[in-house]
Amino acid sequence: MSEPLLVADHLTKDYGTFRALADLTLSVAAGEVVGLLGPNGSGKSTALRLMLGFLKPTSGRARIGGFDCWADSVETRKRVAYLPGELRLYDTMTGRRLVTFLGRLRGDAPGPEVDALAKKLDIDIDRPLTHMSSGMKRKVALLAVLVPKVPLIILDEPTNTLDPTMRDELLEQLKSARARGQAVLFSSHVLQEVETVCDRVAVLRRGELVHVQEMSELREGRSVSARLTGPPPAHGPGGAELAPNTVSADGRLQMTFRGPLPVLLDWLARQPLTDLVIEPQGLAPIYKRFHG
């Protein structure tokens, strides 16, 4: 079995006595979208900069396409398109000139796909960047990242300053990149966008990796909330005993179910309940477990 496209192996970064990232071990395979989830200060941007070779790790290492991200940084960056959290663009250029300039640095000559994607992102790429809002500039930067068909796309808080419609369009573009076999790694603190597009999610807290969640497993689960109008049942769907805290003192039923939906519905139909709500299980309970 071949090595994943990106591998972080016990990646650690210290600034004096402050540990910004501690012992991160994570991988991203071709055709996979992985999200780094956590609030500001959790180590997301530090992890991405180490993987891009912008920072030298205190210990551990990262590899992209088999190349060490620090020792072989030029080779690794040939395989990556990167969107930083804070943009620094050439404001004297138009959007088109910037995309062309960055493409030629790679040895690429961007073609008609530039105009097609610019239309989807709703930007006038022939306008000078100095005349664009921060949201428009970010869309130009996204254009420059999404056009190259590199093996790996790395995005740091990519939806900042984007309106809801453009956020949805970006997520669709990331799905298209995955379908083409590209790997995507992006940081975010927005649960909904991570749930929508990711295959796996890594939760960071204070520089440490505290949880990795396969989204396929999570999507199989359902959160159930209802109010019981009679005695609580002893057993749940499928005959398993209910956990002690499933039903509160005031008769509120809160549970998570993984399994065939007909089994759940059959069990619920036999309970004395009202105010029933069934929702897909999301990341919120997991996130709150680590971040309150």
Side-chain angles (χ1 to χ4, degrees), residues 6 8 11-13 15 18-22 24 26 35-57 62 69 82-87 138 154-160 185-189 202-208:
L6 183 150
L11 205 56
T12 300
K13 181 61 180 178
Y15 293 99
F18 174 69
R19 177 150 288 182
L21 192 69
L24 175 66
L26 185 70
L36 292 180
L37 185 62
N40 294 336
S42 59
K44 305 188 301 297
S45 294
T46 300
L48 298 183
R49 290 167 185 164
L50 287 165
M51 295 170 186
L52 286 158
F54 296 158
L55 298 175
K56 184 178 181 180
C69 293
Y82 170 57
L83 177 77
E86 297 181 4
L87 292 178
R138 179 156 289 265
I154 294 181
L155 309 168
D156 193 357
E157 301 285 358
T159 60
N160 280 352
L185 176 65
F186 76 99
S187 71
S188 180
H189 58 268
V203 182
L204 296 179
R205 180 181 64 184
R206 298 173 188 168
E208 295 185 359

Coordinates of all heavy atoms in Angstrom, one line a residue, residues 6 8 11-13 15 18-22 24 26 35-57 62 69 82-87 138 154-160 185-189 202-208:
L6 N 0.2 13.2 2.1 CA 0.8 14.0 3.2 C 0.8 13.2 4.5 O -0.1 12.6 4.9 CB -0.1 15.3 3.4 CG 0.4 16.3 4.4 CD1 0.0 17.7 4.1 CD2 -0.1 16.0 5.9
A8 N 2.2 13.8 8.5 CA 2.8 14.5 9.7 C 3.1 13.4 10.7 O 2.2 12.7 11.1 CB 1.8 15.5 10.2
L11 N 4.8 15.8 14.8 CA 5.1 17.2 14.4 C 4.9 18.1 15.7 O 3.9 18.1 16.2 CB 4.3 17.6 13.3 CG 4.8 18.8 12.4 CD1 6.2 18.4 11.8 CD2 3.8 19.0 11.3
T12 N 6.0 18.8 16.1 CA 6.0 19.6 17.3 C 6.7 20.9 17.0 O 7.7 21.0 16.3 CB 6.7 18.9 18.4 OG1 6.1 17.7 18.7 CG2 6.7 19.8 19.7
K13 N 6.1 22.0 17.5 CA 6.7 23.4 17.3 C 6.6 24.1 18.7 O 5.6 24.3 19.2 CB 6.0 24.1 16.3 CG 6.6 25.5 16.0 CD 8.0 25.5 15.5 CE 8.6 26.9 15.3 NZ 10.0 26.8 14.9
Y15 N 7.9 27.7 20.7 CA 8.4 29.1 20.7 C 8.9 29.4 22.1 O 8.1 29.8 23.0 CB 7.4 30.1 20.3 CG 6.9 29.9 18.9 CD1 5.7 29.2 18.6 CD2 7.7 30.4 17.8 CE1 5.3 29.1 17.3 CE2 7.2 30.3 16.5 CZ 6.1 29.6 16.2 OH 5.7 29.4 14.9
F18 N 6.8 28.1 25.1 CA 5.4 27.9 24.7 C 5.4 26.8 23.6 O 6.1 27.0 22.5 CB 4.8 29.2 24.1 CG 3.5 29.1 23.5 CD1 2.4 28.7 24.3 CD2 3.3 29.2 22.2 CE1 1.1 28.6 23.7 CE2 2.0 29.1 21.6 CZ 0.9 28.8 22.4
R19 N 4.6 25.8 23.7 CA 4.4 24.8 22.8 C 3.2 25.0 21.9 O 2.0 24.9 22.4 CB 4.3 23.4 23.4 CG 4.0 22.2 22.5 CD 4.6 20.9 23.0 NE 6.1 21.0 22.9 CZ 6.9 19.9 23.3 NH1 6.3 18.8 23.8 NH2 8.2 20.0 23.2
A20 N 3.4 25.5 20.7 CA 2.3 25.8 19.8 C 1.6 24.6 19.2 O 0.4 24.6 18.8 CB 2.7 26.7 18.7
L21 N 2.4 23.5 19.0 CA 1.9 22.3 18.4 C 2.6 21.1 19.1 O 3.9 21.2 19.2 CB 2.1 22.2 16.9 CG 1.3 21.1 16.2 CD1 -0.2 21.4 16.2 CD2 1.8 21.0 14.7
A22 N 1.9 20.1 19.5 CA 2.5 19.0 20.3 C 2.2 17.7 19.6 O 1.1 17.2 19.6 CB 2.0 19.1 21.7
L24 N 1.9 16.1 16.7 CA 0.8 15.9 15.8 C 1.2 14.8 14.8 O 2.2 14.9 14.1 CB 0.5 17.2 15.0 CG -0.6 17.0 13.9 CD1 -1.9 16.7 14.5 CD2 -0.6 18.3 13.0
L26 N -0.7 12.8 11.7 CA -1.9 12.9 10.8 C -1.5 12.6 9.4 O -0.3 12.9 9.0 CB -2.5 14.3 11.0 CG -3.8 14.5 10.2 CD1 -5.0 13.7 10.9 CD2 -4.2 16.0 10.2
G35 N -10.4 17.9 7.5 CA -10.5 19.2 8.1 C -9.8 19.3 9.5 O -9.9 18.3 10.3
L36 N -9.1 20.4 9.7 CA -8.5 20.7 11.0 C -9.5 21.6 11.7 O -9.8 22.7 11.3 CB -7.2 21.4 10.9 CG -6.0 20.5 10.4 CD1 -4.7 21.4 10.3 CD2 -5.8 19.3 11.2
L37 N -10.1 21.2 12.9 CA -11.1 21.9 13.5 C -10.7 22.4 14.9 O -10.1 21.6 15.7 CB -12.4 21.0 13.6 CG -13.7 21.6 14.2 CD1 -14.2 22.7 13.3 CD2 -14.7 20.5 14.3
G38 N -11.0 23.6 15.2 CA -10.6 24.1 16.5 C -10.7 25.6 16.5 O -10.7 26.3 15.5
P39 N -10.8 26.2 17.7 CA -10.9 27.7 17.8 C -9.6 28.3 17.5 O -8.5 27.6 17.4 CB -11.3 27.9 19.3 CG -10.8 26.8 20.0 CD -10.9 25.6 19.1
N40 N -9.5 29.7 17.5 CA -8.3 30.4 17.3 C -7.3 30.0 18.4 O -7.7 29.9 19.6 CB -8.5 31.9 17.3 CG -9.3 32.3 16.1 OD1 -9.3 31.7 15.0 ND2 -10.0 33.5 16.2
G41 N -6.1 29.8 18.1 CA -5.1 29.4 19.1 C -4.9 27.9 19.4 O -4.2 27.5 20.2
S42 N -5.7 27.1 18.6 CA -5.6 25.7 18.9 C -4.5 25.0 18.1 O -4.2 23.8 18.3 CB -7.0 25.0 18.5 OG -7.2 25.3 17.1
G43 N -3.8 25.7 17.2 CA -2.6 25.1 16.5 C -2.9 24.8 15.1 O -2.0 24.3 14.4
K44 N -4.0 25.2 14.5 CA -4.3 24.9 13.1 C -3.3 25.5 12.2 O -2.8 24.8 11.3 CB -5.7 25.3 12.8 CG -6.8 24.7 13.7 CD -8.2 25.0 13.2 CE -8.5 26.5 13.0 NZ -8.5 27.2 14.3
S45 N -3.2 26.8 12.3 CA -2.3 27.5 11.3 C -0.8 27.1 11.5 O -0.1 26.9 10.5 CB -2.4 29.0 11.5 OG -3.7 29.5 11.1
T46 N -0.4 26.9 12.7 CA 1.0 26.4 12.9 C 1.2 25.0 12.2 O 2.2 24.8 11.6 CB 1.2 26.2 14.4 OG1 1.1 27.5 15.1 CG2 2.6 25.7 14.7
A47 N 0.2 24.1 12.4 CA 0.3 22.8 11.7 C 0.5 23.0 10.2 O 1.3 22.3 9.6 CB -0.9 22.0 12.0
L48 N -0.4 23.8 9.6 CA -0.3 24.0 8.1 C 1.0 24.6 7.7 O 1.6 24.2 6.7 CB -1.5 24.9 7.7 CG -2.9 24.4 7.9 CD1 -3.9 25.3 7.3 CD2 -3.1 23.0 7.4
R49 N 1.5 25.6 8.5 CA 2.8 26.2 8.1 C 4.0 25.3 8.2 O 4.9 25.3 7.4 CB 3.0 27.5 8.9 CG 2.0 28.6 8.6 CD 2.0 29.7 9.6 NE 1.0 30.7 9.3 CZ 0.5 31.6 10.2 NH1 1.0 31.6 11.4 NH2 -0.4 32.4 9.8
L50 N 3.9 24.4 9.2 CA 4.9 23.3 9.3 C 4.9 22.4 8.1 O 5.9 22.0 7.5 CB 4.8 22.6 10.6 CG 5.2 23.3 11.9 CD1 4.6 22.6 13.1 CD2 6.7 23.4 12.0
M51 N 3.7 22.0 7.7 CA 3.5 21.1 6.6 C 3.9 21.7 5.2 O 4.3 21.0 4.3 CB 2.1 20.6 6.5 CG 1.6 19.8 7.7 SD -0.2 19.5 7.6 CE -0.4 18.7 9.2
L52 N 3.9 23.1 5.2 CA 4.3 23.8 4.0 C 5.8 24.1 3.9 O 6.3 24.6 3.0 CB 3.5 25.0 3.8 CG 2.0 24.8 3.4 CD1 1.2 26.0 3.8 CD2 1.9 24.6 1.9
G53 N 6.5 23.8 5.0 CA 7.9 24.2 5.1 C 8.2 25.6 5.4 O 9.3 26.1 5.2
F54 N 7.2 26.4 5.9 CA 7.4 27.8 6.3 C 8.0 27.9 7.6 O 8.7 28.9 7.9 CB 6.1 28.5 6.3 CG 5.4 28.6 4.9 CD1 4.0 28.9 4.8 CD2 6.1 28.5 3.8 CE1 3.4 29.0 3.6 CE2 5.5 28.6 2.5 CZ 4.1 28.8 2.4
L55 N 7.8 26.9 8.5 CA 8.4 26.8 9.8 C 9.2 25.5 9.9 O 8.8 24.5 9.4 CB 7.3 26.8 10.9 CG 6.4 28.1 11.0 CD1 5.3 27.8 12.0 CD2 7.2 29.3 11.3
K56 N 10.3 25.6 10.7 CA 11.1 24.4 11.0 C 10.5 23.8 12.3 O 10.4 24.4 13.3 CB 12.5 24.8 11.2 CG 13.4 23.6 11.4 CD 14.9 24.0 11.5 CE 15.8 22.8 11.7 NZ 17.2 23.2 11.9
P57 N 10.2 22.5 12.2 CA 9.7 21.9 13.4 C 10.7 21.7 14.5 O 11.9 21.5 14.2 CB 9.3 20.5 12.9 CG 10.0 20.2 11.7 CD 10.3 21.6 11.0
A62 N 7.3 16.3 8.6 CA 6.2 16.2 7.7 C 6.7 15.9 6.3 O 7.7 16.4 5.9 CB 5.3 17.5 7.7
C69 N 9.1 18.2 4.2 CA 8.6 19.5 4.0 C 9.5 20.6 4.4 O 9.4 21.8 3.9 CB 7.3 19.7 4.8 SG 5.9 18.6 4.2
Y82 N -1.8 26.7 -2.0 CA -2.0 27.1 -0.6 C -2.7 28.4 -0.6 O -2.4 29.4 -1.3 CB -0.6 27.2 0.1 CG -0.7 27.9 1.4 CD1 -1.5 27.4 2.5 CD2 0.1 29.0 1.7 CE1 -1.5 28.0 3.7 CE2 0.1 29.6 3.0 CZ -0.7 29.1 4.0 OH -0.7 29.7 5.2
L83 N -3.8 28.5 0.3 CA -4.4 29.7 0.6 C -4.2 30.1 2.1 O -4.7 29.4 3.0 CB -6.0 29.6 0.4 CG -6.8 30.9 0.7 CD1 -6.6 31.9 -0.4 CD2 -8.2 30.5 0.9
P84 N -3.5 31.2 2.4 CA -3.2 31.5 3.8 C -4.4 32.2 4.4 O -5.3 32.7 3.7 CB -2.0 32.5 3.6 CG -2.2 33.1 2.3 CD -2.8 32.0 1.4
G85 N -4.5 32.2 5.7 CA -5.6 32.9 6.4 C -5.5 34.4 6.2 O -6.6 35.0 6.1
E86 N -4.4 35.0 6.2 CA -4.2 36.4 6.0 C -3.6 36.6 4.6 O -2.4 36.2 4.4 CB -3.3 37.0 7.1 CG -4.0 36.9 8.5 CD -3.1 37.5 9.5 OE1 -2.1 38.1 9.2 OE2 -3.5 37.4 10.7
L87 N -4.3 37.3 3.7 CA -3.8 37.5 2.3 C -2.8 38.6 2.2 O -3.0 39.7 2.8 CB -5.0 37.7 1.4 CG -5.9 36.5 1.2 CD1 -7.1 37.0 0.3 CD2 -5.2 35.3 0.6
R138 N -10.3 37.7 -1.7 CA -10.2 36.3 -1.3 C -10.7 35.4 -2.4 O -10.1 34.3 -2.6 CB -11.0 36.1 0.0 CG -11.0 34.6 0.5 CD -11.2 34.6 2.0 NE -10.1 35.1 2.7 CZ -9.1 34.3 3.2 NH1 -9.1 33.0 3.0 NH2 -8.1 34.8 3.9
I154 N -4.1 23.1 0.2 CA -4.1 23.4 1.7 C -4.7 24.8 1.8 O -4.3 25.8 1.2 CB -2.7 23.4 2.3 CG1 -2.1 22.0 2.2 CG2 -2.7 23.9 3.7 CD1 -0.7 21.8 2.8
L155 N -5.8 24.9 2.7 CA -6.5 26.1 2.8 C -6.6 26.4 4.3 O -7.0 25.6 5.1 CB -7.9 26.0 2.3 CG -8.1 25.5 0.8 CD1 -9.5 25.1 0.5 CD2 -7.5 26.5 -0.1
D156 N -6.3 27.7 4.7 CA -6.3 28.1 6.1 C -7.5 29.1 6.2 O -7.5 30.2 5.7 CB -5.0 28.8 6.5 CG -4.9 29.0 8.0 OD1 -5.9 28.7 8.7 OD2 -3.9 29.6 8.4
E157 N -8.6 28.6 6.9 CA -9.8 29.4 7.1 C -10.3 29.9 5.8 O -10.4 31.2 5.6 CB -9.6 30.5 8.1 CG -9.2 30.0 9.5 CD -10.3 29.4 10.3 OE1 -11.4 29.4 9.8 OE2 -10.0 28.9 11.4
P158 N -10.6 29.1 4.8 CA -10.9 29.6 3.4 C -12.1 30.4 3.3 O -12.3 31.1 2.3 CB -10.9 28.3 2.6 CG -11.4 27.2 3.6 CD -10.7 27.6 4.9
T159 N -13.1 30.2 4.1 CA -14.4 30.9 3.9 C -14.5 32.3 4.6 O -15.5 32.9 4.6 CB -15.6 30.0 4.4 OG1 -15.4 29.8 5.8 CG2 -15.6 28.7 3.7
N160 N -13.4 32.7 5.3 CA -13.4 34.0 5.9 C -13.8 35.1 4.8 O -13.2 35.1 3.7 CB -12.0 34.4 6.4 CG -11.8 33.7 7.8 OD1 -12.7 33.1 8.4 ND2 -10.6 33.8 8.3
L185 N -6.7 19.6 2.5 CA -6.5 19.8 3.9 C -6.9 21.2 4.2 O -6.3 22.2 3.6 CB -5.1 19.5 4.4 CG -4.8 19.8 5.9 CD1 -5.6 18.8 6.8 CD2 -3.3 19.6 6.2
F186 N -7.9 21.5 5.1 CA -8.2 22.9 5.4 C -8.6 23.0 6.8 O -9.1 22.1 7.5 CB -9.3 23.4 4.5 CG -10.7 22.9 4.7 CD1 -11.6 23.7 5.5 CD2 -11.2 21.7 4.3 CE1 -12.9 23.3 5.7 CE2 -12.5 21.3 4.5 CZ -13.3 22.1 5.2
S187 N -8.3 24.2 7.4 CA -8.6 24.5 8.7 C -9.9 25.3 8.8 O -10.2 26.1 7.9 CB -7.5 25.3 9.4 OG -7.4 26.6 8.9
S188 N -10.6 25.1 9.9 CA -11.9 25.9 10.0 C -12.3 25.8 11.5 O -11.8 25.0 12.3 CB -13.0 25.3 9.2 OG -14.2 26.0 9.3
H189 N -13.2 26.7 11.9 CA -13.9 26.7 13.2 C -15.4 26.6 13.0 O -16.1 26.8 13.9 CB -13.5 27.8 14.1 CG -13.7 29.2 13.5 ND1 -12.8 29.8 12.8 CD2 -14.8 29.9 13.5 CE1 -13.3 31.0 12.4 NE2 -14.5 31.1 12.8
A202 N -10.0 16.3 12.2 CA -9.1 16.3 13.3 C -9.3 17.5 14.2 O -9.3 18.6 13.7 CB -7.6 16.3 12.8
V203 N -9.7 17.2 15.5 CA -10.0 18.3 16.4 C -8.7 18.6 17.2 O -8.1 17.7 17.8 CB -11.1 17.9 17.4 CG1 -11.4 19.0 18.3 CG2 -12.3 17.5 16.6
L204 N -8.3 19.9 17.2 CA -7.1 20.4 17.9 C -7.6 21.2 19.1 O -8.6 21.9 19.1 CB -6.2 21.2 17.0 CG -5.6 20.5 15.8 CD1 -4.7 21.5 15.1 CD2 -4.8 19.3 16.3
R205 N -6.8 21.1 20.2 CA -7.1 21.9 21.4 C -5.7 22.2 22.0 O -5.0 21.3 22.4 CB -7.9 21.1 22.4 CG -8.2 21.9 23.7 CD -9.0 21.1 24.7 NE -8.3 19.9 25.2 CZ -8.9 19.0 26.0 NH1 -10.1 19.2 26.4 NH2 -8.2 18.0 26.4
R206 N -5.4 23.5 22.1 CA -4.2 24.0 22.7 C -3.0 23.3 22.2 O -2.1 22.9 22.9 CB -4.2 23.8 24.2 CG -5.3 24.6 24.9 CD -5.5 24.3 26.4 NE -6.7 24.9 26.9 CZ -7.1 24.6 28.2 NH1 -6.5 23.7 28.9 NH2 -8.2 25.2 28.6
G207 N -3.0 23.1 20.8 CA -1.8 22.6 20.1 C -1.8 21.0 20.1 O -0.8 20.5 19.6
E208 N -2.8 20.4 20.7 CA -2.8 18.9 20.7 C -3.9 18.3 19.9 O -5.0 18.9 19.9 CB -2.9 18.4 22.1 CG -1.7 18.8 23.0 CD -1.8 18.1 24.4 OE1 -2.8 17.4 24.7 OE2 -0.9 18.3 25.2

